[in-house]
Amino acid sequence: MNRIEAILTIDTENLPANFEEIIKHEREMVAKWKEEGILEHLFLRELRNGAVLVFKGLDEAQVKLKMEQLPLYQLKKEVVYLNLIKQF
């Protein structure tokens, strides 16, 4: 099964006052996606300016729609999508 990696970079210089609340909702959504089996991995970026999400079982258009639902998406600077083929 192929994977799609979404690399999210957020604008850390303009964080809203309710940032902690946004993070709480973000964690809830990510946990739901893991439970549903569509999110295989989540990695935080070392600079704490975003995350890398690895989706499975979805095409790129579906992943883009999911990413737009994330609370942190409203703070995005950039999102890069990579289609990956898992080697065995």
Side-chain angles (χ1 to χ4, degrees):
M1 178 182 304
N2 293 349
R3 307 292 192 268
I4 297 184
E5 182 177 270
I7 304 168
L8 172 67
T9 304
I10 62 171
D11 182 4
T12 57
E13 295 182 20
N14 295 303
L15 297 178
N18 68 337
F19 183 70
E20 289 302 318
E21 185 69 22
I22 292 170
I23 292 295
K24 178 181 179 252
H25 292 298
E26 185 88 3
R27 287 183 183 136
E28 291 168 354
M29 184 163 283
V30 166
K32 180 179 175 236
W33 289 349
K34 283 187 175 186
E35 192 176 296
E36 292 173 356
I38 62 170
L39 184 66
E40 188 170 48
H41 298 289
L42 168 70
F43 301 96
L44 298 180
R45 307 264 303 267
E46 184 178 11
L47 297 175
R48 299 195 177 267
N49 65 343
V52 177
L53 299 91
V54 180
F55 291 89
K56 64 179 181 180
L58 301 176
D59 62 29
E60 188 173 331
Q62 292 170 312
V63 169
K64 286 179 178 180
L65 288 173
K66 290 289 184 191
M67 289 296 293
E68 290 172 4
Q69 296 172 11
L70 283 175
L72 281 178
Y73 190 83
Q74 63 182 315
L75 306 175
K76 76 171 174 54
K77 261 188 173 176
E78 176 183 45
V79 181
V80 176
Y81 298 95
L82 301 172
N83 289 278
L84 307 171
I85 299 171
K86 186 172 182 178
Q87 292 291 350
F88 298 97

